[in-house]
Amino acid sequence: NNVESEEENLRVLVPVFDMINHSPEPNAEFFREGDRMTVKATSDMDANEQVCIHYSKSTVPAWKRLFSYGFCDTGGDSSSSGDDDDDGFAVYEDDAVEIVLGDRFRFEVSPTEIPGELIQYQAQHMQKMGAGGADDGNVPADVEFTPEIGRGIVDQLTMVAGGLERKRDEVVNAAANSKDTSMATSLKLAADLHEYHRRTMLTYAGGLREYLQEE
């Protein structure tokens, strides 16, 4: 576990913490008091209610949850078609996913933030398309965000989300056809990750679209 404080960032082994699950909406918090670790409720809890904490920055982006802890906290079922947005896949403000554009440009996006690098990339992409594929490299580093750039980013995110949907379906089919239980479980987790990324990107695109409509 990582324990963060104003003075230091420690990596410590606290076995009992392995029994406390992560939640993006935790009902408890943990902190260090001298040489002790303390877990404290942040709200009233019912009898037998599960105690959950937030695993902090080690859970963002989503692939870190899968890599470090072996789960995607979707709560949903990626074996479904994914058309029902009420199947348990929740997207939160602090969620973040990585988008790859042009096969080599990587940007980390979240439902509430537009990376400046992504704005610059989209401006340069639009300039390149308008110049018949030529790139004259004249896009300034502090390019101004415009509705046209915003709509272009929405289109990019929607396109990537469509690709993730196809990947999810391929992995779901592979899991269904696998005779190896361990492999099927791993594929199910991969499908969950694709679906989580897809939902986050669509949430981001939807929020940006609403913002542009209000302007």
Side-chain angles (χ1 to χ4, degrees), residues 1-175:
N1 298 84
N2 281 333
V3 181
E4 298 180 7
S5 68
E6 294 182 357
E7 298 178 356
E8 56 190 339
N9 188 337
L10 300 178
R11 186 177 294 271
V12 296
L13 181 64
V14 189
V16 71
F17 273 54
D18 293 339
M19 302 178 66
I20 307 177
N21 285 332
H22 164 81
S23 172
E25 296 180 326
N27 54 15
E29 62 182 358
F30 67 97
F31 49 89
R32 176 172 165 240
E33 288 184 313
D35 59 355
R36 297 182 302 172
M37 292 296 297
T38 300
V39 179
K40 180 180 179 181
T42 55
S43 61
D44 293 336
M45 285 185 272
D46 297 328
N48 299 319
E49 181 179 348
Q50 182 177 191
V51 175
C52 294
I53 59 177
H54 195 290
Y55 288 178
S56 70
K57 296 177 182 179
S58 60
T59 63
V60 179
W63 64 264
K64 288 186 177 181
R65 289 197 285 278
L66 185 57
F67 182 80
S68 300
Y69 303 106
F71 72 91
C72 285
D73 55 342
T74 58
D77 181 8
S78 62
S79 63
S80 67
S81 64
D83 295 331
D84 181 6
D85 286 345
D86 295 324
D87 59 7
F89 281 86
V91 177
Y92 298 88
E93 288 187 358
D94 62 347
D95 286 337
V97 296
E98 189 177 69
I99 179 174
V100 181
L101 300 175
D103 295 329
R104 61 192 181 94
F105 297 99
R106 297 177 179 271
F107 308 97
E108 187 174 286
V109 300
S110 72
T112 58
E113 295 183 6
I114 306 175
E117 296 85 354
L118 179 55
I119 295 174
Q120 184 180 14
Y121 168 86
Q122 183 60 32
Q124 190 165 2
H125 175 74
M126 291 166 55
Q127 182 186 71
K128 183 177 180 180
M129 293 300 99
D135 182 5
D136 60 15
N138 289 329
V139 176
D142 57 346
V143 61
E144 181 180 356
F145 178 79
T146 65
E148 185 179 15
I149 289 176
R151 287 189 292 269
I153 292 175
V154 169
D155 291 342
Q156 295 270 22
L157 292 169
T158 304
M159 177 186 67
V160 172
L164 288 169
E165 183 174 12
R166 290 188 293 273
K167 288 182 179 179
R168 179 206 64 198
D169 291 344
E170 291 173 0
V171 176
V172 167
N173 290 333

